[in-house]
Amino acid sequence: MRPDLFEAPDYYKLDDLLTDEHKLIREATRQWVKREVSPIIESYSQKAKFPKQLIKGLSEIGAFGPYIPLEYGGAGLDQISYGLIMQEIERGDSGIRSTASVQSSLVMYPIWKYGNEAQRKKYLPKLANGEWMGCFGLTEPDHGSNPSGMITNFKDQGDHYLLNGAKMWISNAPFAQIAIVWAKDETDRVHGLIVERGMAGFTTPETHNKWSLRASATGELIFDNVKVPKENILPNKSGLGAPLGCLDSARYGIAWGAIGAAMDCYDTALRYSKERTQFGKPIGQFQLQQKKLAEMITEITKAQLLTWRLGVLKNDDKATSAQISMAKRNNVDMAINIAREARQILGGMGITGEYSIMRHAMNLESVITYEGTHDIHLLITGLDITGLNAFK
């Protein structure tokens, strides 16, 4: 693996829109990624193994629940800070960002927003410091883009609930201490349940043979007559809107994270284009290579502006689900296209683990699908602007 020489592009001087605190948080995360992630990530990706030793560092840089209040162990930061942390972590690797995103937006967020005070005090501090890791169970083997069709269910047994069903494609599942599981009650109403490792009938088999997110642990959640204590139900919100609210927060993080992956690919390609000589001059001097690089920085700049504005709206509690969908879809599409173009600039070297580009390209094939596919987010925008529902 080559030394991490990353320099972030800022073509439109967006740093002027950030506070000193934003820049300090971003720099601390960037230096942690350079020191702890970059030297090992290619090796772990090749081995298809999650580097568990990074969990402590992720908690120390505030990557677990950055916007969760201090009283529950979070960092009490704003939404732009959260976004910048996700951007820098995904600049290192999408799988490591996934680990942090799940912990923050899909585990800590629902406990904070939908849980009661006893649940917040029991779980959030341990999740914030990385003592406990969590996962989020919504997607099922037969219900991905249509989560309302879920068949995972629970029945009231008097002093507990009896949970049955299965979830699939679950980040962090193989090692998580708790799972936020979405299931239907006997009236078909969706609720969130906190399921703890060790509950009889609860297993988390790992998913192997992935070509993408290889340094992230993915698995299933299997529930075979799991007895869940009644105090483990999230009491303050039910219905499908509850898990979708969590996904809004996670998708917002992805919108920032994808910029990080794109910036890393661009920076690598730009540096290579100045160093690699063909036909007596650096390949960056050829028109077609300059076209690629100019289009990359243009698309990154547009995504940076889109996402910064979305962060301002999030801070003001004005961001809509449809606006978040637009940013997630646009930025991941932008990033995957930049990864492919950057790979071409590097030629054959672009497929090797000596550079990060092919790993980013493979990872982004998952990111463009999970938490709402590229096409589903397009239809969410279509519904928002026309008022006409293409899903029905």
Side-chain angles (χ1 to χ4, degrees), residues 170-344:
I170 311 300
S171 295
N172 300 357
F175 57 76
Q177 277 76 33
I178 69 167
I180 305 297
V181 179
W182 301 94
K184 289 180 176 177
D185 65 13
E186 287 150 294
T187 69
D188 274 353
R189 182 77 176 171
V190 173
H191 294 265
L193 300 164
I194 304 171
V195 180
E196 298 186 26
R197 186 172 295 283
M199 290 181 176
F202 174 42
T203 54
T204 58
E206 186 162 1
T207 303
H208 297 289
N209 297 324
K210 297 182 299 176
W211 286 113
S212 182
L213 297 180
R214 289 171 59 83
S216 173
T218 309
E220 301 172 53
L221 304 176
I222 309 294
F223 314 105
D224 181 8
N225 288 323
V226 179
K227 291 181 179 179
V228 181
K230 286 203 164 177
E231 62 264 26
N232 282 33
I233 196 166
L234 297 175
N236 293 331
K237 190 172 178 67
S238 63
L240 201 58
L244 294 182
C246 306
L247 287 169
D248 273 350
S249 180
R251 289 163 176 168
Y252 168 77
I254 289 171
W256 281 92
I259 295 174
M263 291 196 303
D264 194 58
C265 292
Y266 164 78
D267 182 66
T268 302
L270 178 63
R271 201 179 306 279
Y272 188 86
S273 76
K274 295 175 180 178
E275 297 169 353
R276 173 70 167 170
T277 299
Q278 289 290 285
F279 304 104
K281 60 184 179 181
I283 63 171
Q285 198 170 335
F286 289 96
Q287 289 182 3
L288 285 176
Q289 306 308 319
Q290 290 194 5
K291 175 180 184 291
K292 287 183 173 72
L293 292 163
E295 287 175 342
M296 286 181 198
I297 190 60
T298 302
E299 292 305 314
I300 288 170
T301 301
K302 286 155 64 175
Q304 287 174 318
L305 287 161
L306 180 73
T307 313
W308 172 81
R309 177 59 185 159
L310 183 62
V312 172
L313 292 171
K314 281 276 283 179
N315 279 340
D316 293 340
D317 203 24
K318 292 179 180 176
T320 67
S321 295
Q323 288 168 335
I324 294 168
S325 278
M326 177 184 281
K328 191 269 184 184
R329 177 183 176 275
N330 178 82
N331 292 8
V332 181
D333 185 59
M334 171 275 298
I336 203 167
N337 287 329
I338 284 178
R340 290 165 181 162
E341 291 289 274
R343 208 290 303 157
Q344 288 202 60

Side-chain angles (χ1 to χ4, degrees), residues 26-64:
R26 182 186 61 189
E27 184 61 22
T29 309
R30 183 173 296 166
Q31 291 307 316
W32 179 80
V33 168
K34 285 193 173 192
R35 187 175 64 251
E36 303 294 337
V37 180
S38 299
I40 67 165
I41 195 63
E42 295 295 343
S43 170
Y44 277 83
S45 184
Q46 292 281 2
K47 292 184 291 189
K49 185 179 177 185
F50 173 69
K52 284 189 180 178
Q53 70 270 27
L54 295 181
I55 289 174
K56 186 174 186 293
L58 285 167
S59 71
E60 289 172 350
I61 62 170
F64 295 153

